[in-house]
């Protein structure tokens, strides 16, 4: 069935990096972009950025520029999100979500399919 | 960026009652590009409504959305036990897309 399957929970120390994966199935991976959204404990939803599964173009939230990198592997229909220089306030559940039809260029859209989330805990 | 405000913060109702949730934008949302999501504890958000009033696939017709410009509403006509959750609005009329802080619908 149509789904996004994310990698498991991670515990990291401040200053470290984390890389979360998101494997798509049930649809043509390169036909839709992938966005990443995070949710700190007890808080709301924050859009982190987008990657085109079609051509690899990216667009990141301004506050994360320089710390986040999103990539894809079309051979395995998998998207990745790497966050560097982790801080305690990066502790959150990280979701991948299917974005709009992929033209290779960024446009804001809604998210019709979500992964189950990956808890990243940053603690010394 | 567009800031979304949701009210009330918490709505305490009984099963069978009608729920009316509000989402207000700091500036007009172009093309009524507003979506609503439901989130239950420990679960990912689920898309309910897009384009302000279009139901997503598989969403029961007790959920309806309305509004335009800066004021939008999600209505649940008769609350079922499974509807008690947190509801978020999201605008995608301009980048970056932004979410409201959520409205929790809990059992009275």
């Amino acid at each position: 069935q149509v789904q996004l399957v994310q990698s498991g929970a991670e515990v990291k120390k401040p200053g470290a990096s984390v890389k979360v994966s998101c494997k798509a199935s049930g649809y043509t991976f390169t036909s839709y972009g992938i966005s990443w959204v995070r949710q700190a404990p007890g808080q709301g939803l924050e859009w982190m950025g987008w990657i085109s599964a079609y051509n690899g173009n990216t667009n990141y939230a301004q506050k994360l520029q320089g710390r986040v990198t999103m990539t894809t592997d079309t051979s395995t229909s998998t998207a990745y999100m790497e966050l560097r220089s982790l801080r305690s306030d990066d502790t959150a559940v990280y979701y991948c979500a299917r974005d709009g039809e992929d033209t290779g260029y960024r446009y804001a859209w809604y998210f019709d399919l979500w992964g189950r989330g990956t808890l990243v805990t940053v603690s010394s | 960026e567009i800031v979304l405000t949701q009210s009330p913060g918490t709505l305490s109702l009984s099963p069978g009652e009608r729920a009316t949730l509000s989402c207000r934008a700091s500036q007009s949302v172009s093309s009524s590009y507003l979506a609503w999501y439901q989130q239950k504890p420990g679960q990912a958000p689920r898309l309910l409504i897009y384009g302000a009033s279009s139901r997503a696939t598989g969403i029961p017709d007790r959920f309806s959305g309305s509004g335009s410009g800066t004021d939008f509403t999600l209505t649940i006509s008769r609350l079922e036990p499974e509807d008690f959750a947190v509801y978020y609005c999201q605008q995608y009329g301009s980048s970056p897309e932004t979410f409201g802080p959520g409205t929790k619908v809990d059992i009275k």
Side-chain angles (χ1 to χ4, degrees), chain A residues 21-69:
Chain A
S21 68
C22 169
K23 183 174 175 61
S25 61
Y27 72 95
T28 302
F29 181 64
T30 52
S31 292
Y32 297 86
I34 292 285
S35 273
W36 291 84
V37 176
R38 70 178 179 178
Q39 185 172 37
Q43 302 301 308
L45 301 164
E46 177 187 17
W47 178 77
M48 300 177 65
W50 163 91
I51 183 164
S52 166
Y54 174 69
N55 64 8
N57 281 352
T58 55
N59 180 245
Y60 302 136
Q62 195 166 5
K63 69 177 286 188
L64 295 173
Q65 290 271 4
R67 287 207 300 138
V68 67
T69 300

Side-chain angles (χ1 to χ4, degrees), chain A residues 39 95 106 109-111 115, chain B residues 37 39 43-44 88 90 97:
Chain A
Q39 185 172 37
Y95 295 101
R106 172 64 180 148
W109 205 241
Y110 58 85
F111 311 119
Chain B
Y37 300 86
Q39 188 178 35
Q43 296 185 18
Y88 294 95
Q90 176 223 348
E97 46 268 72

